[in-house]
């Protein structure tokens, strides 16, 4: 069974509104509760939303996703939340490593590949290794 049984809370951060809305739509169609924001400042205002997963574009209008990820991984309140870095830029693998991201996705992405990554990280059986 590939479906995640419970509704999960996901934050999506991307400054490309088309990509942001596509990811929101795909995730909501799967039954997830999604907060979608376009920059780090808006992300920082989501204080009451406790996510199960964060999808974070690396190139944002007000900073770099890998730098935000690094801060999240240093904070005891958010360090256990999986963060997937997303980017169309070359070097996403290095940026993900530098930011201590749990995984990364290269844009443009195949929807089935995208959902398999999401489901793997939301699975109750995921471990600290990147799922394939």
């Amino acid at each position: 069974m590939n479906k995640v049984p419970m509704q999960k809370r996901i934050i999506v951060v991307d400054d490309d509104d088309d990509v942001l809305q596509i990811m929101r739509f795909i995730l909501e169609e799967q039954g997830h509760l999604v907060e979608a924001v376009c920059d780090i400042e808006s992300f920082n205002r989501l204080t009451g939303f406790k996510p199960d997963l964060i999808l974070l574009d690396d190139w944002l209008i007000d900073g770099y996703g890998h730098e935000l990820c690094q801060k999240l991984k240093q904070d005891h309140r958010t360090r256990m939340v999986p963060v997937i870095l997303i980017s169309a830029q070359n070097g996403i693998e290095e940026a993900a490593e530098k930011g201590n991201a749990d995984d990364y996705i290269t844009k443009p992405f195949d929807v089935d590949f995208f959902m398999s990554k999401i489901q793997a990280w939301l699975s109750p059986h995921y471990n600290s290794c990147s799922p394939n």
Side-chain angles (χ1 to χ4, degrees), residues 109-121:
F109 52 80
D110 174 78
V111 174
D112 291 332
F113 174 77
F114 175 78
M115 281 312 304
S116 71
K117 287 270 192 180
I118 301 307
Q119 289 174 348
W121 282 106

Side-chain angles (χ1 to χ4, degrees), residues 13-63:
V13 186
D14 199 306
D15 61 350
D16 182 326
D17 191 57
D18 290 336
V19 174
L20 188 70
Q21 296 309 323
I22 289 167
M23 286 192 284
R24 176 200 287 264
F25 177 79
I26 292 168
L27 295 167
E28 286 178 344
E29 282 292 305
Q30 294 294 313
H32 302 300
L33 183 60
V34 179
E35 281 290 336
V37 295
C38 63
D39 56 31
I40 294 171
E41 182 181 339
S42 299
F43 174 84
N44 289 332
R45 287 190 293 237
L46 296 175
T47 55
F49 191 87
K50 304 296 183 214
D52 296 295
L53 179 68
I54 299 170
L55 301 173
L56 182 58
D57 187 19
D58 192 38
W59 289 73
L60 298 165
I61 57 174
D62 58 351

Side-chain angles (χ1 to χ4, degrees), residues 84-87 92 103-107 109 113-114 117:
I84 300 176
L85 206 61
I86 301 174
S87 182
I92 182 61
D103 207 344
Y104 65 91
I105 296 174
T106 304
K107 290 188 222 173
F109 52 80
F113 174 77
F114 175 78
K117 287 270 192 180

